[in-house]
């Protein structure tokens, strides 16, 4: 059953505390002595925060095919400049989110900030599209890469059967969902391990590349800025690909309420993560060009595999395994973070009430985690995932740009708000402009796909009025909702939280 949303207000320098205050019901109205409160606990330390950000940013792209930037810049030198600039711009966005996350100390990321500044309708539209299409499709895409590269060492001489890839992918998705349902601590520990695997994989590429530079293998860097001139449309598209590769820096803000000492941990984790990822991405691309020419990189289906086959010999068979582990880390980090978005949206009355309930012993938001499983499986076994993501990629940057623009609005509307971390105003201004520019670019370069995505997004408007605003639903519908919620509570062993949003 969907609850009536509460008013979102910011006043007197405070922040939205959350409107849903639910307590456990016990016989006689009394709470058993020694009963532990059912809340999401603060278990995300600095190291775990860094692993969430790095582990979700670094997926399969940098290992498989970083050619989108090179293809649209036309030269090695300019592509390296774009990778660096995109890292700096992403850092600007991450710093803006660090201020938002320490000012509005609630989980939920984009959704929460849009709710605070622009109200419930755009916030609902954001979570509506995320739940029904964007997140299931994105999870299915990265999971397919996991399945394919996990099987590659076993099918060296032949094509991998598509059904085998999907079955292994389905197992991987299920493992991630079970892990995130069972334990926050174990999910975080595995994320740390997978993050170290990702960084090890990058070092396996960077170190031989540096050795190649020391040996004088710089032929591909001669006249680095010569080649096919970047077109007026090509350069913006190169930035689009670059910014997409860095996407994921915002995930720690989805779990703000579970971060230890968020006022210090969030900014520090963001700065460390973005520095590591930017340096890693640029040096990885430099390493590729010590061994592979620009033309060969554009023709390669998996650049890291091509690179390792030339320099690492028999050890190159380990690269697909590292790529698979990297994908699994992105799956784990993404599910961990986005489940909190659904959890918060339910708490605010924008999603069914069951999604804001917590397991009585494990203290994990089990319903918000497993709701993705059937949707992701549907995406996995049907439809064109990549087209869906292309249709809705503009929506991600639109809502992120709006959230960061909301920071500027709050600066002027509520100048006395408590801001433990504050960035210069040009940083959110430049990043908001970049996001809105990418939205305009997608409209110009592919109006058909963007138009379809815009139409899909707009379906959230009638859904908002039907499911949220309309409170005179038939009695049978309300009764069925109550029965469904209670049944799921019993099966999943979940109950409403107890004021975990009081910070």
């Amino acid at each position: 059953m969907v609850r009536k949303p509460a008013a979102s207000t910011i006043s007197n320098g405070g922040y939205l505390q959350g409107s849903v205050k639910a307590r456990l019901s016990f016989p006689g109205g009394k709470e058993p002595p020694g009963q532990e409160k059912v809340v999401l606990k603060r278990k995300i330390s600095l190291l775990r925060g860094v692993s969430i950000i790095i582990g979700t940013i670094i997926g399969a792209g940098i290992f498989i095919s970083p050619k989108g930037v090179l293809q649209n810049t036309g030269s090695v030198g300019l592509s390296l400049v774009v990778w660096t600039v995109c890292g700096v711009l992403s850092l600007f966005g991450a710093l803006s989110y660090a201020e938002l996350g320490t000012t509005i100390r609630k989980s939920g990321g984009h959704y929460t900030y849009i709710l605070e500044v622009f109200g419930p309708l755009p916030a609902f539209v954001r979570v509506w599209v995320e739940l029904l299409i964007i997140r299931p499709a994105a999870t299915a895409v990265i999971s397919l890469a996991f399945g394919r590269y996990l099987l590659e060492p076993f099918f060296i001489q032949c094509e991998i059967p598509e059904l085998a890839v999907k079955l292994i992918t389905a197992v991987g998705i299920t493992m991630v969902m079970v892990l995130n349902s069972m334990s926050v601590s174990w999910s975080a520990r595995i994320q740390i391990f997978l993050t170290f695997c990702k960084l090890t994989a990058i070092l396996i590429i960077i170190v031989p590349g540096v050795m190649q530079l020391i040996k004088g293998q710089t032929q591909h860097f001669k006249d680095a800025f010569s080649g096919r001139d970047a077109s007026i449309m090509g350069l913006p598209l190169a930035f689009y690909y670059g910014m997409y590769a860095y996407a994921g820096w915002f995930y720690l803000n989805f779990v703000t309420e579970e971060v230890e000492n968020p006022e210090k941990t969030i900014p520090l984790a963001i700065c460390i993560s973005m520095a590591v990822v930017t340096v890693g991405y640029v040096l990885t691309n430099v390493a590729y060009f010590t061994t592979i020419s620009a033309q060969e990189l554009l023709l390669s289906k998996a650049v890291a595999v091509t690179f390792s086959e030339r320099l690492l010999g028999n050890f190159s068979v380990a690269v697909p395994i590292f790529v698979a582990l990297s994908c699994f880390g992105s799956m784990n980090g993404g599910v961990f973070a986005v489940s909190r978005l659904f959890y918060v949206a339910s708490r605010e009355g924008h999603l069914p009430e069951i999604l804001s309930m917590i397991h009585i012993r494990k203290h994990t938001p089990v319903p918000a985690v497993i709701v993705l499983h059937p949707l992701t499986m549907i995406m996995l076994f049907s439809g064109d995932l990549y087209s869906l993501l292309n249709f809705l990629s503009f929506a991600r940057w639109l809502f992120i740009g709006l959230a960061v623009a909301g920071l500027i609005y709050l600066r002027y509307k509520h100048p006395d708000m408590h801001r433990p971390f504050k960035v210069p105003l040009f940083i959110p201004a430049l990043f908001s402009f970049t996001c809105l520019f990418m939205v305009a670019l997608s409209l110009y370069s592919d109006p058909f796909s963007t138009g379809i995505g815009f139409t899909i997004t707009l379906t959230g408007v009638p859904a908002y009025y039907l499911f949220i605003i309309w409170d005179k639903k038939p009695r049978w519908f309300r009764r069925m909702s109550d029965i469904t919620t209670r049944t799921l509570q019993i099966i999943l062993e979940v109950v409403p939280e107890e004021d975990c949003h009081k910070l």
Side-chain angles (χ1 to χ4, degrees), residues 158-237:
C158 59
E159 189 72 21
I160 305 173
E162 198 63 31
L163 180 60
V165 173
K166 291 192 174 184
L167 289 175
I168 290 295
T169 298
V171 172
I173 292 169
T174 303
M175 287 174 59
V176 168
M177 301 294 178
V178 170
L179 175 64
N180 280 274
S181 299
M182 295 295 289
S183 171
V184 172
S185 295
W186 272 106
S187 177
R189 286 172 190 148
I190 290 177
Q191 187 68 12
I192 292 171
F193 167 74
L194 293 171
T195 298
F196 278 111
C197 289
K198 292 170 187 274
L199 297 178
T200 300
I202 285 181
L203 286 175
I204 288 173
I205 295 170
I206 291 175
V207 172
V210 171
M211 293 174 66
Q212 288 287 92
L213 286 177
I214 294 173
K215 292 177 182 177
Q217 299 293 325
T218 59
Q219 63 271 22
H220 298 141
F221 296 100
K222 292 178 181 178
D223 301 319
F225 290 90
S226 65
R228 179 175 57 82
D229 293 334
S231 65
I232 295 176
M233 282 302 300
L235 198 56
L237 281 173

Side-chain angles (χ1 to χ4, degrees), residues 328-461:
F328 193 83
S330 293
M331 293 158 58
N332 183 59
V335 169
F336 179 84
V338 174
S339 63
R340 273 56 178 180
L341 185 153
F342 301 148
Y343 166 81
V344 172
S346 171
R347 196 172 69 189
E348 299 299 336
H350 284 165
L351 289 177
E353 184 179 9
I354 188 68
L355 297 183
S356 62
M357 295 189 185
I358 302 170
H359 195 277
I360 56 176
R361 292 185 304 276
K362 304 182 189 306
H363 294 192
T364 57
V366 173
V369 172
I370 64 174
V371 69
L372 281 173
H373 191 270
L375 295 172
T376 304
M377 289 299 175
I378 291 171
M379 293 287 184
L380 178 63
F381 288 98
S382 66
D384 186 348
L385 297 172
Y386 297 93
S387 294
L388 278 173
L389 287 178
N390 288 336
F391 291 158
L392 293 157
S393 59
F394 89 99
R396 164 182 276 183
W397 296 112
L398 174 63
F399 286 112
I400 290 176
L402 285 176
V404 175
L407 184 155
I408 301 172
Y409 171 83
L410 291 177
R411 285 280 190 92
Y412 288 101
K413 189 71 173 179
H414 301 282
D416 297 327
M417 287 182 72
H418 177 58
R419 293 180 173 87
F421 181 83
K422 194 173 181 179
V423 296
L425 206 55
F426 81 90
I427 287 179
L430 178 60
F431 184 78
S432 294
F433 173 80
T434 301
C435 290
L436 297 178
F437 174 75
M438 287 193 290
V439 171
L441 173 65
S442 63
L443 283 168
Y444 178 79
S445 63
D446 192 357
F448 177 74
S449 294
T450 305
I452 293 175
F454 187 68
T455 303
I456 294 172
T457 303
L458 285 181
T459 61
V461 176

Side-chain angles (χ1 to χ4, degrees), residues 24-32:
L24 301 176
S25 297
F26 297 97
K30 296 181 180 180
E31 186 174 320

Side-chain angles (χ1 to χ4, degrees), residues 2-5 118-125 128 349-351 457-474 477:
V2 178
R3 293 180 295 253
K4 188 78 173 176
F118 299 105
L121 176 57
F124 175 84
V125 171
W128 168 264
H350 284 165
L351 289 177
T457 303
L458 285 181
T459 61
V461 176
Y464 174 76
Y465 286 98
L466 177 63
F467 295 115
I468 308 302
I469 297 299
W470 183 39
D471 56 1
K472 295 183 179 179
K473 297 178 179 66
F477 180 84

